[in-house]
Amino acid sequence: MIAGLAKPTSGQVLYRGRAFEGVNPGTAIVFQTFALYPWLTVLENVELGIQAGPSRRSIALKAIDTIGLDGYIDAYPRELSGGMRQRVGFARALAVQPEVLCMDEPFSALDVLTAENLRSELLRLWQGGEIPTRSIFVVTHGIEEAVSIADRIIVLQRDPGRVQAILPIAIPHPRDKRSPEFQALVDRVYTVISRPEEEDADELLETSDAASEISQLPLSVMDTKLSVDSDAQSQTETKRKPMLPAVRIGSVAGLLNFIDEDGTDIYRLGQSLQLDVDEIYPIIEAADLIGLVDVQEGDVLVNDRGAEFVKSSINQRKALVRESVLKEEGSWLIPQIYRLLGQSRRSNRIPQELIFDMVLLKHFTPQEARKQLEIAIEWGRYAELFTYDALSGELFLVEGEDDDIAREEFERPDLLRRRLQVTRTESEDFPEKAGET
């Protein structure tokens, strides 16, 4: 919306105090993928965004020189490394001399060393005034990356995408990733992300302790403002059902083995597993939803139920998951599917489109709804509540004794707790009985 490539569903975007139509003339974009024309040379790719005129070539050459690609002006993208291709993307964006440079995960396709080098060079150019850009707007899933380059971090909620927190950063550049201040800010961001969505958003719009000195700093996109009509905003903020985390239960079970007994810092846990926040947090969210972990101040701790899960057999684990998903509000979709299947007069079978059309589309977009149905089927299968026939596109209850047990547990949760206790007692007594035999 800032660049003018998409229109807001309500309100308007103002650039320098005025609404604009079409593409915002003061912005440029660096894409996640290199987005280069393979049949054009470096120079020709950079010239694409520059208006025709006698100075077009000189402007492009200056941008190429600024980004360190002189000597490659006649090379084609296939002749360049990944880092050099992204440099061409930077040169193409800077050639139009934007006031606001928008970047969509610009370093994610690069290896660690190349990405770090390119980040530091971009910061040097911007802070040294070698480029006309006044503000840089970066979208990233990397918390460490955000803390290392940003003057202000805006954390968005996953759904429906409202601002959850605004965290100014007062640490001067260059920033030492090993410093206590840096680590404290990384932990702070993880803490904000782990906050439940139900909490008051106003409470979350706060500054970090390390950045308190500049709590009144204006938004870094200095001359770009987003204005939203209050009535329309209240309509779009109608409470939606929570979404199931897009992970398998097996991933949750695996993660528990990497968490220390006294808890583990989420940032360091992600580093040890080489997972970004958007990869590790859904797993932690799923573990929290099932009731296996507690998340506090950027740390994750395996609770008593989680410790029991780790030591349990596969059937005991399934029973624990079944108990949780049938009662937790966050997993509302699974008990609703299970209830509909139990009420069906057609051999406890219903077509997936019924769930999709009558349940999911009330709360999610078609793409989100399809994904949520896939996750619900995966979790329902693990918990042995229901399964899915891909040929007919139907969901149906698991037949046999286990289905009767699951139905009783759904109607009377106290039975499940009693059965779990009996199973645990038998497991603990088994070694002694075997020895006696």
Side-chain angles (χ1 to χ4, degrees), residues 279-296:
E279 296 171 320
I280 192 171
Y281 187 70
I283 306 176
I284 295 175
E285 186 181 14
D288 188 27
L289 176 62
I290 300 171
L292 306 179
V293 301
D294 297 322
V295 180
Q296 301 174 345

Side-chain angles (χ1 to χ4, degrees), residues 165-182:
I166 300 176
L167 306 174
I169 300 178
I171 304 175
H173 290 283
R175 293 171 181 167
D176 182 2
K177 296 181 180 180
R178 296 167 296 182
S179 69
E181 295 82 6
F182 188 96

Side-chain angles (χ1 to χ4, degrees), residues 187 190-191 194 264-266 293-301:
D187 286 342
Y190 268 110
T191 300
S194 64
T264 300
D265 181 86
I266 298 177
V293 301
D294 297 322
V295 180
Q296 301 174 345
E297 297 299 322
D299 294 338
V300 59
L301 173 69

Side-chain angles (χ1 to χ4, degrees), residues 45-81:
N45 268 288
V46 174
E47 286 179 330
L48 279 176
I50 307 173
Q51 293 184 352
S55 60
R56 183 183 187 185
R57 180 181 175 87
S58 61
I59 293 174
L61 288 173
K62 182 178 179 181
I64 292 172
D65 178 65
T66 299
I67 211 67
L69 282 178
D70 42 346
Y72 293 90
I73 61 173
D74 296 321
Y76 289 90
R78 64 176 180 272
E79 303 175 62
L80 306 176
S81 66

Side-chain angles (χ1 to χ4, degrees), residues 162-435:
R162 293 175 294 183
V163 174
Q164 182 172 354
I166 300 176
L167 306 174
I169 300 178
I171 304 175
H173 290 283
R175 293 171 181 167
D176 182 2
K177 296 181 180 180
R178 296 167 296 182
S179 69
E181 295 82 6
F182 188 96
Q183 294 293 330
L185 279 168
V186 170
D187 286 342
R188 177 63 180 144
V189 177
Y190 268 110
T191 300
V192 170
I193 291 176
S194 64
R195 290 283 187 92
E197 293 183 0
E198 290 78 11
E199 290 196 31
D200 187 358
D202 292 336
E203 178 188 344
L204 297 172
L205 295 177
E206 56 186 78
T207 60
S208 63
D209 295 337
S212 59
E213 297 179 5
I214 57 168
S215 59
Q216 302 302 318
L217 185 71
L219 281 173
S220 57
V221 182
M222 300 175 185
D223 298 311
T224 305
K225 297 181 180 178
L226 181 63
S227 173
V228 181
D229 296 335
S230 58
D231 294 340
Q233 185 176 13
S234 63
Q235 294 176 3
T236 59
E237 291 183 359
T238 301
K239 186 174 181 180
R240 301 191 345 166
K241 290 288 189 179
M243 298 177 71
L244 290 170
V247 297
R248 295 176 179 270
I249 303 298
S251 299
V252 174
L255 182 71
L256 298 182
N257 295 315
F258 291 92
I259 301 176
D260 297 333
E261 291 185 3
D262 56 348
T264 300
D265 181 86
I266 298 177
Y267 168 61
R268 291 178 177 81
L269 181 62
Q271 278 190 321
S272 65
L273 297 176
Q274 297 183 345
L275 296 175
D276 291 331
V277 62
D278 58 322
E279 296 171 320
I280 192 171
Y281 187 70
I283 306 176
I284 295 175
E285 186 181 14
D288 188 27
L289 176 62
I290 300 171
L292 306 179
V293 301
D294 297 322
V295 180
Q296 301 174 345
E297 297 299 322
D299 294 338
V300 59
L301 173 69
V302 177
N303 56 29
D304 293 341
R305 187 180 179 86
E308 177 185 337
F309 181 90
V310 172
K311 296 183 292 185
S312 297
S313 67
I314 182 62
N315 287 329
Q316 291 171 326
R317 290 183 176 187
K318 289 184 175 185
L320 286 167
V321 171
R322 185 161 61 240
E323 179 189 25
S324 294
V325 299
L326 287 177
K327 70 178 183 180
E328 292 295 336
E329 181 182 355
S331 57
W332 66 275
L333 178 58
I334 296 173
Q336 184 158 349
I337 293 175
Y338 188 70
R339 186 181 299 110
L340 289 172
L341 287 168
Q343 295 171 351
S344 173
R345 298 179 180 178
R346 186 171 163 267
S347 302
N348 300 125
R349 300 172 75 97
I350 56 175
Q352 62 173 345
E353 295 306 323
L354 180 66
I355 304 295
F356 187 79
D357 295 334
M358 296 185 61
V359 179
L360 289 166
L361 287 182
K362 292 181 179 179
H363 308 285
F364 308 114
T365 66
Q367 183 177 5
E368 291 172 338
R370 187 66 62 187
K371 186 63 177 178
Q372 284 297 290
L373 183 56
E374 292 175 359
I375 300 167
I377 291 173
E378 168 67 26
W379 286 32
R381 279 174 162 168
Y382 182 91
E384 296 184 0
L385 290 169
F386 51 81
T387 188
Y388 173 69
D389 182 0
L391 293 178
S392 65
E394 292 181 323
L395 290 86
F396 57 94
L397 292 177
V398 178
E399 297 180 356
E401 181 181 354
D402 288 343
D403 179 48
D404 296 333
I405 293 175
R407 195 184 306 278
E408 284 184 315
E409 291 168 353
F410 179 65
E411 296 171 353
R412 293 188 57 190
D414 58 303
L415 289 179
L416 176 58
R417 287 191 290 272
R418 206 173 304 160
R419 284 175 180 140
L420 286 172
Q421 184 62 42
V422 170
T423 305
R424 283 196 299 271
T425 303
E426 291 177 350
S427 299
E428 293 167 357
D429 292 343
F430 180 77
E432 294 184 5
K433 292 180 180 179

